Amino acid sequence: MFDVKKEPDEVPLEKIEGSRLQILSDNIPGGMFSCLYDEALTLQEMNHGFLSMLGYTRREIAETFQDSFWEMIDVRDREATRAEVAEQLKAGNDKELEYRMKRKDGSTIWVLDKGHLIRDEKGTDFFCCVLVDITRSKELESELRLSLERHQIIMDQSTDILFDWDIERDTILFSRNWNKKFGCDPVTEHVSCLLMKAPQVYEEDHALFYELFQSVRNGNLYGEREIRFIDNDKHIIWCRVRISGQKDESGHMVRAVGVIIDITLEKQKADLLMERAQRDDLTRLFNKGTVQECIEGVISHAAAGMMSALLIIDLDNFKHINDSMGHLFGDALLAEVAHILQKQFSGQDIVGRVGGDEFVVFIKEIPYISMAERKAAGIMEALKRMIVQEISNSDFACSIGIAVYPNDGKTYHELFHNADKALYRAKKLGKDRYCLFTPGLVQDGFLDTDHSAANARIDSDEDPGNVELRLVEFIFRILYKASDLDTAVNAILEVVGHHLDVSRVYIFEDDEDDRYCSNTFEWCNEGIEPEKENLQHIRYAEDLPGGYRSNFDENGVFYCRDVSALSPQAKEVLESQGIKSVLQCAIYGEGKYKGFIGFDECRVNRFWTQEQVNMIVFISEILSTFLLKMRTQKKAVQNAVSLETILDNQSSWVYVIDQHTFEMKYINRRTYELVPGAKKGKTCHSAFYYRDTPCEGCPVSKLGEENSRCVRQIYNPYLKVWVLTDICMIQWEGERAVLITCHDITELKKTPVAP
């Protein structure tokens, strides 16, 4: 009635254990084998994984390799493998090494061989080994190595220094360019204490360097400063240091990466432009405009009770000396006078040339007025001691007018006006003397109350060289202070055109693809037809044959006194515009050709002097610097406007919020239309759900480094809409923020789904 349960056959325990080990051996990843420790590494046993890894059967191994594991190793690695095993066995009975083997299909694989040397009871040595296929990891390692090598090659071509700061450990790593530039190893540990006082950082900039790093440690995601360093040759170099922070999921700053960019040449060029704009080319003293700015700066910060003195020095009989001895002699004389004046005053005082033979000195602090008189007497005595064989002492002298701040004026113009009155009196009294300004000068018969004639005398006495310097100064100041650069450039072209008396002044700028150029600014003299409308989107290769850029020499100048001497194609293009002579200066941005500034003469074959060319080149440099800056700014604004237009015309609601405060930072037009309560600075939960606190289960709070995006369907009971909400992390104005895009799916929710 009941089945009788049959007992299983008894199986020996060792047989059960053996079968289990076989199953385990055949199913572990990789291969297992044993071999004698002889010359051939004769194979003894191997598992299924070993055969599967190499693609052979047991018989094929015996027939192909005569059971020699040595023959199965790639010939390129055999000797190195033998030597490595011998070396490892000196330390014990274990070995671990990597080498290549050939599979049956001809491919090569990399294996990791881990083995143990055993000696049996007969004294025979053999290895028990496990093989693991590491081909993929080797490929990844090779790819990583090549990638790092490529990255290093790129870095070696640059002078920039990259760094990676582990804020929590306070350690830092620099690229190898640090050693190249500074000739020593950088600080790598205890950054907060040591790096900020590193000898490679200019001592006066230690605090600035520390503040930059500290600002990132305190939570700022980005920082940038211009800091001075000391290079390997003990020279000061200017660097732009940029650093960007990285936060963990909890919002703590844990890491920062950055770059140190050498901007010394950029600084030198900017300083040179400023120097050339501020200085008089002949004497290297401050020019008239710079003198005024410097003096006004001192006056604006003058302490109560401080006295200063303004001296105007005019060389007596200089026009006669200049006319009789020649301009070269006169220039040398002016340069020597400037040298003497600089020696008479300290570096704190302001010394400048304000006219052809007129100089100004502003002594910043004087304890009493008689000190200004002593200084004036010292100037006169020093000039009389000049050893100039061509003129006698009686021919060369100076007159000086003195006004004292604040007694004689509280502004630059008041001081200059009154010092000039005193100078005029010194001239009237017979020259070769100094006079202090006194209010009585206006009534004592020496001066009229309207002093415009004296001011006109100063302006009209300037030599042509100084007029050109004043022109350059005027251009620099117009551009520097202009709010509308287009209007400023047009005004400058007109002033330069009138000054040089040319037919046409214009600017050509390259399009973004550098294959076309367009006439963007133009001024025409009276009677000259404009060409701007006819010179738009001109292709260099077709409309200007022969490669137009090749016309410019190494200084960026193309000068042709007679266009008929050019190639037939170029001649045709220029003569069709009525041009007889042309002078053009190339515009360069970041070392690349960007266009040119041109001066056409349509009346005669014009000859340009080297002085005029030099002045035009300098004017072109100034114009191109501001012009390229304007174009870059305009492009950035256009891009921003275009992006905002695109976002405002989306049918979706698009807005950006702060991840932590939920305040709205950006709102597109569609969102404003659908949610009247939405505005910048207001929280999203108050605008959309009329809540004082964040919504429960808000997906924004779930975002982090590992989960930077999520998509949810959400129902808004106040707006009575279903929305598909796409939420992701972005960088907004240099900080982490959340971009939210909502698509209205209410109609889809209403539509029944087919069974």
Side-chain angles (χ1 to χ4, degrees):
M1 195 169 192
F2 296 100
D3 291 333
V4 178
K5 188 174 182 181
K6 186 178 179 181
E7 293 292 333
D9 294 333
E10 185 174 341
V11 180
L13 179 61
E14 59 271 17
K15 186 173 181 179
I16 295 174
E17 293 296 332
S19 64
R20 289 175 177 172
L21 289 174
Q22 185 64 43
I23 293 171
L24 181 62
S25 170
D26 287 341
N27 286 279
I28 65 170
M32 299 176 62
F33 72 95
S34 63
C35 66
L36 298 178
Y37 187 24
D38 56 10
E39 288 293 325
L41 298 177
T42 304
L43 287 164
Q44 300 294 298
E45 297 178 0
M46 61 203 73
N47 72 342
H48 177 73
F50 179 87
L51 298 172
S52 176
M53 181 187 300
L54 298 171
Y56 292 100
T57 65
R58 181 68 184 86
R59 178 178 294 178
E60 287 172 337
I61 289 178
E63 293 174 352
T64 305
F65 302 104
Q66 291 75 48
D67 278 341
S68 172
F69 187 73
W70 175 260
E71 293 296 328
M72 300 182 75
I73 299 174
D74 192 302
V75 66
R76 292 172 292 182
D77 296 338
R78 288 177 185 173
E79 293 304 327
T81 299
R82 186 194 299 277
E84 180 64 22
V85 170
E87 185 66 28
Q88 290 188 22
L89 291 180
K90 292 179 181 179
N93 293 330
D94 294 314
K95 64 167 182 171
E96 180 176 334
L97 61 159
E98 299 173 358
Y99 51 83
R100 287 166 287 190
M101 297 183 72
K102 289 289 186 181
R103 286 175 46 85
K104 182 181 177 180
D105 61 9
S107 62
T108 301
I109 63 171
W110 277 93
V111 297
L112 170 64
D113 179 350
K114 289 189 175 184
H116 184 73
L117 183 64
I118 299 174
R119 177 171 293 171
D120 63 12
E121 64 276 4
K122 296 178 181 180
T124 303
D125 292 338
F126 64 95
F127 280 111
C128 290
C129 305
V130 175
L131 286 184
V132 179
D133 186 342
I134 60 170
T135 306
R136 181 55 184 157
S137 64
K138 275 289 187 179
E139 290 173 349
L140 292 174
E141 180 183 319
S142 178
E143 291 174 6
L144 177 60
R145 178 181 58 79
L146 291 174
S147 176
L148 291 174
E149 286 179 357
R150 287 194 297 270
H151 181 265
Q152 191 59 52
I153 289 171
I154 293 172
M155 288 305 304
D156 287 344
Q157 303 304 313
S158 168
T159 58
D160 298 344
I161 300 170
L162 298 182
F163 61 86
D164 184 348
W165 179 28
D166 187 328
I167 297 176
E168 292 186 328
R169 296 180 180 177
D170 207 21
T171 61
I172 195 166
L173 294 176
F174 288 91
S175 61
R176 292 189 301 195
N177 283 334
W178 176 282
N179 300 71
K180 290 181 182 179
K181 187 170 290 290
F182 300 120
C184 63
D185 293 331
V187 171
T188 57
E189 297 182 347
H190 307 298
V191 174
S192 302
C193 301
L194 301 178
L195 179 62
M196 309 316 159
K197 295 183 179 180
Q200 293 82 15
V201 180
Y202 190 63
E203 185 175 0
E204 293 182 9
D205 290 351
H206 278 160
L208 193 62
F209 198 44
Y210 174 78
E211 288 171 6
L212 175 61
F213 276 72
Q214 195 64 23
S215 70
V216 173
R217 181 195 286 274
N218 292 339
N220 290 325
L221 289 172
Y222 181 78
E224 180 178 321
R225 295 288 189 279
E226 290 183 0
I227 294 172
R228 289 168 290 182
F229 286 77
I230 307 295
D231 69 6
N232 195 24
D233 297 321
K234 307 302 180 184
H235 297 145
I236 293 178
I237 58 173
W238 277 95
C239 291
R240 183 175 292 115
V241 183
R242 294 172 175 162
I243 182 169
S244 298
Q246 297 175 325
K247 295 182 178 180
D248 60 14
E249 294 182 359
S250 62
H252 292 103
M253 197 68 72
V254 294
R255 205 171 200 87
V257 294
V259 61
I260 301 174
I261 306 168
D262 189 337
I263 59 168
T264 305
L265 292 178
E266 177 185 325
K267 275 284 189 182
Q268 289 174 348
K269 185 175 181 180
D271 291 344
L272 180 60
L273 284 173
M274 182 62 73
E275 173 79 6
R276 290 173 66 181
Q278 290 180 336
R279 297 281 180 176
D280 168 48
D281 271 349
L282 175 63
T283 64
R284 305 312 302 155
L285 299 178
F286 287 132
N287 56 34
K288 186 175 182 179
T290 307
V291 165
Q292 178 176 338
E293 283 189 0
C294 292
I295 294 175
E296 286 175 343
V298 173
I299 291 174
S300 65
H301 295 92
M306 185 194 82
M307 282 198 304
S308 301
L310 177 68
L311 283 63
I312 301 180
I313 302 112
D314 184 88
L315 303 182
D316 297 334
N317 307 316
F318 178 76
K319 189 176 186 308
H320 170 71
I321 295 172
N322 202 37
D323 291 342
S324 60
M325 306 301 296
H327 288 293
L328 290 177
F329 179 85
D331 287 350
L333 193 62
L334 290 172
E336 182 61 23
V337 169
H339 179 64
I340 289 174
L341 288 177
Q342 285 180 309
K343 290 197 300 183
Q344 294 293 311
F345 297 92
S346 71
Q348 299 297 315
D349 299 322
I350 299 167
V351 183
R353 181 187 179 203
V354 296
D357 62 341
E358 290 189 341
F359 300 83
V360 161
V361 175
F362 185 76
I363 310 172
K364 287 189 177 181
E365 293 187 31
I366 55 174
Y368 32 80
I369 296 176
S370 60
M371 179 179 175
E373 295 182 90
R374 288 208 307 270
K375 284 289 187 180
I379 292 171
M380 297 173 66
E381 183 62 28
L383 293 183
K384 288 181 179 179
R385 289 199 302 267
M386 285 177 55
I387 302 175
V388 183
Q389 296 178 350
E390 290 82 354
I391 58 176
S392 65
N393 288 346
S394 60
D395 293 330
F396 187 66
C398 71
S399 301
I400 301 175
I402 307 171
V404 176
Y405 171 86
N407 303 6
D408 303 331
K410 295 182 179 179
T411 67
Y412 168 79
H413 290 292
E414 289 176 353
L415 285 172
F416 192 92
H417 185 71
N418 290 333
D420 197 38
K421 288 180 180 178
L423 172 64
Y424 190 71
R425 183 183 188 188
K427 292 282 190 181
K428 285 289 186 180
L429 291 174
K431 305 180 181 179
D432 191 18
R433 68 192 66 225
Y434 67 83
C435 282
L436 280 167
F437 171 78
T438 60
L441 285 174
V442 178
Q443 289 87 24
D444 64 5
F446 288 110
L447 290 175
D448 296 326
T449 55
D450 181 4
H451 197 58
S452 58
N455 289 331
R457 171 184 56 76
I458 291 176
D459 293 336
S460 64
D461 200 31
E462 294 182 8
D463 59 23
N466 194 56
V467 171
E468 292 181 352
L469 290 173
R470 294 280 300 281
L471 176 63
V472 171
E473 177 190 347
F474 164 78
I475 291 171
F476 189 91
R477 295 182 189 282
I478 287 293
L479 288 170
Y480 191 76
K481 297 180 179 180
S483 57
D484 180 2
L485 202 56
D486 283 338
T487 302
V489 171
N490 282 318
I492 287 168
L493 295 189
E494 181 178 358
V495 170
V496 173
H498 279 305
H499 175 73
L500 296 174
D501 189 25
V502 292
S503 299
R504 188 185 294 116
V505 188
Y506 49 87
I507 296 177
F508 274 78
E509 296 180 67
D510 281 11
D511 296 346
E512 289 189 7
D513 58 7
D514 293 330
R515 293 183 299 167
Y516 296 88
C517 64
S518 296
N519 189 177
T520 53
F521 294 91
E522 182 187 51
W523 170 85
C524 295
N525 214 330
E526 186 176 352
I528 302 298
E529 290 294 324
E531 294 286 344
K532 181 179 176 182
E533 297 302 322
N534 305 323
L535 299 172
Q536 299 299 311
H537 201 58
I538 300 173
R539 186 178 178 88
Y540 275 116
E542 296 175 1
D543 298 330
L544 297 173
Y548 198 77
R549 295 182 179 93
S550 63
N551 288 322
F552 296 90
D553 62 20
E554 65 276 5
N555 297 315
V557 176
F558 169 38
Y559 168 39
C560 181
R561 185 168 181 267
D562 185 355
V563 300
S564 64
L566 298 173
S567 66
Q569 299 94 330
K571 173 185 174 184
E572 181 181 355
V573 171
L574 297 176
E575 284 189 341
S576 66
Q577 302 171 46
I579 301 171
K580 295 182 179 294
S581 297
V582 64
L583 174 64
Q584 295 174 347
C585 299
I587 296 174
Y588 294 101
E590 299 178 352
K592 295 181 180 179
Y593 177 93
K594 296 293 185 181
F596 56 89
I597 299 174
F599 304 83
D600 291 346
E601 181 54 72
C602 301
R603 298 163 295 189
V604 294
N605 293 332
R606 176 140 182 186
F607 177 79
W608 297 86
T609 67
Q610 186 60 51
E611 290 75 14
Q612 289 173 324
V613 172
N614 291 342
M615 182 191 69
I616 289 172
V617 169
F618 184 40
I619 290 173
S620 300
E621 286 180 5
I622 297 174
L623 268 174
S624 60
T625 298
F626 283 87
L627 192 62
L628 291 172
K629 179 181 178 182
M630 178 190 73
R631 296 303 185 214
T632 301
Q633 291 174 340
K634 185 175 291 186
K635 184 177 179 182
V637 171
Q638 289 173 345
N639 289 341
V641 171
S642 298
L643 178 58
E644 188 164 2
T645 301
I646 292 171
L647 291 174
D648 280 343
N649 285 278
Q650 294 290 308
S651 60
S652 304
W653 317 350
V654 181
Y655 54 97
V656 177
I657 66 170
D658 185 289
Q659 184 185 13
H660 304 292
T661 66
F662 298 92
E663 292 179 351
M664 304 177 81
K665 295 175 171 289
Y666 168 80
I667 306 168
N668 77 336
R669 185 167 58 195
R670 182 64 172 163
T671 307
Y672 278 124
E673 292 172 353
L674 295 174
V675 187
K679 63 180 181 179
K680 292 181 182 179
K682 193 172 185 178
T683 62
C684 57
H685 47 79
S686 63
F688 291 96
Y689 294 95
Y690 305 102
R691 294 174 57 96
D692 294 329
T693 59
C695 305
E696 296 177 1
C698 175
V700 173
S701 60
K702 308 296 184 182
L703 296 180
E705 293 294 334
E706 297 182 359
N707 182 28
S708 61
R709 181 178 223 106
C710 70
V711 178
R712 296 279 182 86
Q713 291 186 17
I714 299 174
Y715 179 72
N716 189 312
Y718 298 99
L719 301 176
K720 297 181 181 180
V721 293
W722 277 94
V723 291
L724 180 65
T725 306
D726 188 337
I727 305 172
C728 66
M729 299 294 295
I730 63 168
Q731 284 287 332
W732 183 267
E733 297 178 345
E735 296 183 356
R736 297 276 283 176
V738 180
L739 170 65
I740 302 176
T741 306
C742 300
H743 313 279
D744 189 340
I745 58 171
T746 306
E747 293 302 319
L748 294 176
K749 281 288 186 179
K750 292 178 180 179
T751 304
V753 179

